[in-house]
Amino acid sequence: MTTGVTLGVEEEFLLLDRATGLPTPRIGEVRAAAGHEPGVRREDIDTELLQAQLEVATPVCSDLDEVAAHLTRFRRAVGGAAHRANCLLAATGGAPRAARRRCLSPRRSATGPCGPRRLGWSTSS
């Protein structure tokens, strides 16, 4: 029974340096390497604001099995392209950051080592 409901899924990944585990700006290399992977074309990989981040998106799908098939294909292909570009692929909500000092206290000043001004964020509303 077809309900007429459709869906699509976008996934975003960070490209991480194999040695440090930190984000690495290799989106161009990964997109180029994607042409050598079955199941994905260079244009299937979208760039994001960060050069260490990429996005893939399924076409409009009519059921979850179709979504799963597209995501499996994309994950394999983009993972292979990342490997060819000598980096790791990570699905994560935020970029890892090497900290010199621990940033656990919310009471630190805005200009302290982990404060928003020190990190380049605006503190004005």
Side-chain angles (χ1 to χ4, degrees), residues 11 22 25 28 31 33 35 47 50 52 54 65 71-72 74-76 83 85 92 96 108 114 116-120:
E11 285 190 313
L22 294 174
R31 288 185 83 208
T47 58
L50 302 175
L54 65 87
D65 289 337
L71 292 178
T72 299
F74 280 140
R75 289 172 183 168
R76 279 191 187 127
H83 181 76
T92 181
R108 296 209 185 216
C114 301
R117 285 192 198 131
R118 177 71 178 228
L119 296 174

Side-chain angles (χ1 to χ4, degrees), residues 97-119:
R97 179 178 181 272
R100 291 189 182 135
R101 297 185 187 163
R102 294 178 71 177
C103 301
L104 299 177
S105 173
R107 295 192 175 122
R108 296 209 185 216
S109 74
T111 57
C114 301
R117 285 192 198 131
R118 177 71 178 228
L119 296 174

